[in-house]
Amino acid sequence: MNGEAWDRETDVLVVGSGGGALTAAIVAIDAGAKVVIIEKSDLYGGTTATSGGVVWIPNSGLADPALHQDSEEEALTYIGALTEGLVPEDQMRAFVENAPRMLDYITSATDVRYTAIPYTDYHAELPGGKLGYRSHMPTPIDGRALGADLEHLRRNHPSSMLFGKISWTAEEAGPLLARSKGWLRTLFRLFSRYYMDIGQRFRSPRDRFLVGGNALIARLKLSLDKRGVAIERNTSLIELIRDGDRIVGAIVKTGGKRIRVRAAKGVILGAGGFERNGKLRATHLDRSTNPDWSGGQPNNTGDALTAALAVGGKAIRLNSAWWAPTIRVPGRESAWPLFFERSLPGCIIVNAIGRRYVNEAASYHVVGRQMMERNLPEAPTSPSWILFDARFHWRYPMGPLMPMIPDWMHAPEVREILVKTRSWDEMADRLGIDRDVLHATISRFNSNASRGEDPDFERGYNPYDRYYGDPKVTPNPNLLPLEKAPFYALPIFPGDIGTNGGLATNGNAQVLDDAGKPLAGLYAIGNTSASVMGPSYPGAGATIGPAMTFGYLAGRHITGANR
């Protein structure tokens, strides 16, 4: 340290305002620490606020034992099979053992409420995989509880909302996607809830019925309010301050001024990944270099990662992300991840030469990763094309393209990227694909799909595929031929919903140096750290679940609560 005076002093400095960061802050506050939370943008909530807010918690006490049996060893077996030997067992064990404890704590000590849901693991067919109840959904909340702070809560990503603006729960979305029994009543209820909020409709199109990540962050924010701690917005991390072998504070920028903040106990970095940083993507994500392909929120530019590296932190697996095929709509803040649409019957994905190369109904992480690994000069997959017919377009959504709505009523920027033709030959010409190749691809798929079969990629053969299928379609809920004109295509890219490589940490979320030793006073959680899941994605909530769990562990360790 150079002897300069501190402008401000606290016990713990938390950088970021997502689920992991706010969990860490609450745990530290409850352990008696004075905590400062900074958020670089004008909106709080980070990536968590834009997400579904689901947490993946194996062996959860909230899961009904009559419906679900689980154990730590089964969870370790499952995660271990997916992480490709890249994650130390003690770190995996720290997550598995403490995730239920975190959930118990956060649902008893704060306003946060969760329910275990029958959402299958993404690879339930593997040893230790489960058909449900490891993923947990946050309870909705009326946004009016936040008062004026509602307008500063980062909004849900449009992909998680009906028509990109109306909040819906998973229980409401299911009947609507498949138009199963009662879907019209559900639709009427959603419209009524939204449009009958007349006072809000005069002020803003924002829905005050908060679900998913918005509900989680709102409940964490209310819990902070009760503890008298604010989220200091428009305050960015510039650099960390190291004194000898310890991180003792940081330089932050607020109101146009740089100030030195002393953090007596340490700094917790929970500021997201680097997916929106073009330079870092070009260096580390060489097969997915464009930040506009990311569904991550625009402030995730790797500031915390860069600051930690500058003081001796070690980074690992920077070539890894939470992959997803995305649609880039011109002028939109973030790309549109295709989470579930690919599973619905009557669509396929082809590469630039018109051939299928992936099980379209696999998890978004698997499909996005396949898009990169199969991106060959002789058969490019970036962009690929997702093809569907008029029957699909009438029944189901496809990214920003809504069903039952005439094409001309969609936004100009959506119409700009949509390709619509009267025949597959015309489609081939429009996409620059050989007619015979596309015809052979469509014919083979249609012939097999009419029998509910996919011998090429086994679509619909495992539990996760069928979770988002249409149960009215038999014998395979994921397969229908593409045969009713007009035909449609949208370009898709190898995108992501955030990076998951980052700072190397141990089981207490302490940042490690190049020698593998903890860097005293520095912690990293969420997408700022390298994920405990390695390059894999075990199930819904496998991003936020570990972020909150290691936030819980960081908050306890930095205050000495777990020693």
Side-chain angles (χ1 to χ4, degrees):
M1 230 174 69
N2 59 14
E4 292 183 48
W6 298 105
D7 300 298
R8 189 173 179 186
E9 298 195 21
T10 188
D11 292 326
V12 177
L13 174 64
V14 176
V15 182
S17 63
L22 298 189
T23 298
I26 288 171
V27 171
I29 293 165
D30 289 355
K34 181 180 178 182
V35 176
V36 171
I37 308 166
I38 63 171
E39 162 57 50
K40 80 172 185 178
S41 79
D42 186 49
L43 302 174
Y44 64 90
T47 302
T48 304
T50 72
S51 74
V54 176
V55 292
W56 192 77
I57 308 292
N59 202 29
S60 162
L62 295 183
D64 185 344
L67 300 172
H68 175 69
Q69 296 292 319
D70 202 355
S71 69
E72 291 179 359
E73 292 309 312
E74 285 178 293
L76 283 169
T77 297
Y78 179 61
I79 298 172
L82 290 168
T83 52
E84 303 175 12
L86 296 174
V87 180
E89 183 174 347
D90 60 343
Q91 193 175 19
M92 291 189 290
R93 189 171 289 278
F95 166 69
V96 169
E97 291 178 353
N98 287 285
R101 298 170 187 167
M102 178 280 296
L103 191 62
D104 289 346
Y105 178 86
I106 209 72
T107 54
S108 61
T110 78
D111 291 8
V112 173
R113 298 293 180 268
Y114 268 103
T115 302
I117 59 175
Y119 196 120
T120 182
D121 286 346
Y122 291 173
H123 303 277
E125 69 280 2
L126 295 180
K130 297 294 180 179
L131 295 175
Y133 300 103
R134 282 175 169 167
S135 294
H136 297 65
M137 183 70 70
T139 302
I141 187 172
D142 189 330
R144 283 174 286 196
L146 290 170
D149 285 336
L150 175 62
E151 288 307 311
H152 297 290
L153 171 61
R154 187 171 294 281
R155 301 189 184 196
N156 287 98
H157 194 287
S159 65
S160 66
M161 307 183 80
L162 178 64
F163 302 124
K165 65 179 182 179
I166 300 176
S167 298
W168 55 358
T169 66
E171 292 79 8
E172 292 166 335
L176 287 173
L177 289 176
R179 293 200 211 168
S180 55
K181 185 177 180 180
W183 74 272
L184 280 173
R185 288 194 301 274
T186 299
L187 185 64
F188 179 76
R189 182 171 66 252
L190 291 175
F191 280 159
S192 297
R193 188 170 66 207
Y194 180 78
Y195 287 106
M196 292 303 289
D197 187 4
I198 297 172
Q200 178 70 354
R201 296 289 70 79
F202 280 119
R203 284 190 295 268
S204 167
R206 179 172 198 150
D207 196 335
R208 290 197 290 199
F209 181 70
L210 304 183
V211 301
N214 259 215
L216 170 58
I217 294 297
R219 290 177 175 276
L220 287 168
K221 174 66 168 61
L222 291 171
S223 302
L224 281 170
D225 291 345
K226 292 177 179 178
R227 289 162 171 80
V229 176
I231 298 171
E232 301 185 18
R233 297 177 285 108
N234 298 307
T235 303
S236 55
L237 173 68
I238 303 300
E239 62 182 88
L240 295 165
I241 299 173
R242 180 170 178 169
D243 185 7
D245 62 356
R246 184 176 184 84
I247 301 305
V248 295
I251 297 176
V252 306
K253 186 175 183 180
T254 182
K257 297 180 180 179
R258 293 161 66 101
I259 64 172
R260 294 165 56 85
V261 180
R262 179 173 185 262
K265 296 182 182 297
V267 179
I268 301 175
L269 304 176
F274 62 86
E275 64 269 16
R276 300 305 292 269
N277 185 315
K279 184 177 180 180
L280 289 176
R281 283 191 83 103
T283 301
H284 302 292
L285 306 178
D286 59 349
R287 294 190 179 186
S288 179
T289 57
N290 192 338
D292 290 339
W293 295 346
S294 177
Q297 59 105 349
N299 292 284
N300 287 344
T301 53
D303 305 1
L305 169 67
T306 303
L309 294 177
V311 293
K314 177 184 178 180
I316 57 175
R317 299 195 300 273
L318 293 181
N319 62 343
S320 185
W322 306 107
W323 302 114
T326 60
I327 295 174
R328 177 57 184 159
V329 181
R332 301 283 176 90
E333 181 177 85
S334 301
W336 192 295
L338 295 180
F339 291 125
F340 58 85
E341 296 94 329
R342 303 161 286 102
S343 300
L344 294 165
C347 67
I348 61 170
I349 293 173
V350 300
N351 59 21
I353 62 171
R355 293 194 174 102
R356 289 179 73 210
Y357 61 92
V358 69
N359 169 13
E360 295 90 349
S363 79
Y364 42 91
H365 181 70
V366 167
V367 174
R369 190 172 176 180
Q370 288 287 301
M371 290 184 75
M372 289 184 304
E373 293 179 351
R374 294 176 180 262
N375 189 25
L376 305 173
E378 65 273 19
T381 59
S382 179
S384 292
W385 298 94
I386 190 156
L387 309 177
F388 48 102
D389 68 356
R391 175 169 56 184
F392 182 101
H393 183 25
W394 175 252
R395 291 181 177 181
Y396 313 117
M398 178 54 71
L401 198 68
M402 296 294 108
M404 301 175 62
I405 296 178
D407 297 335
W408 61 267
M409 291 185 67
H410 283 83
E413 60 268 27
V414 175
R415 300 199 306 270
E416 178 183 336
I417 61 172
L418 178 66
V419 181
K420 178 181 179 180
T421 64
R422 299 300 306 179
S423 70
W424 288 119
D425 282 347
E426 183 186 353
M427 180 66 73
D429 294 344
R430 293 278 299 276
L431 303 185
I433 294 172
D434 183 276
R435 287 186 173 189
D436 290 340
V437 172
L438 185 60
H439 177 75
T441 297
I442 297 293
S443 295
R444 177 171 176 79
F445 177 82
N446 284 354
S447 176
N448 288 321
S450 65
R451 299 188 298 273
E453 300 173 359
D454 181 18
D456 298 321
F457 299 100
E458 300 185 342
R459 178 169 163 183
Y461 290 19
N462 65 58
Y464 179 77
D465 291 10
R466 295 190 292 273
Y467 188 85
Y468 281 120
D470 185 340
K472 300 190 305 299
V473 175
T474 58
N476 188 325
N478 301 105
L479 294 175
L480 277 176
L482 286 69
E483 53 193 9
K484 182 176 175 59
F487 303 111
Y488 297 88
L490 283 165
I492 60 174
F493 296 91
D496 59 81
I497 55 174
T499 50
N500 69 0
L503 296 169
T505 57
N506 63 15
N508 289 312
Q510 292 175 284
V511 174
L512 305 179
D513 63 17
D514 286 333
K517 296 181 179 179
L519 190 54
L522 188 61
Y523 300 75
I525 59 176
N527 289 352
T528 304
S529 63
S531 174
V532 68
M533 303 304 177
S536 72
Y537 210 142
T543 56
I544 302 174
M548 293 176 67
T549 298
F550 284 105
Y552 166 81
L553 287 168
R556 289 177 58 80
H557 191 269
I558 203 170
T559 57
N562 62 349
R563 297 175 200 168

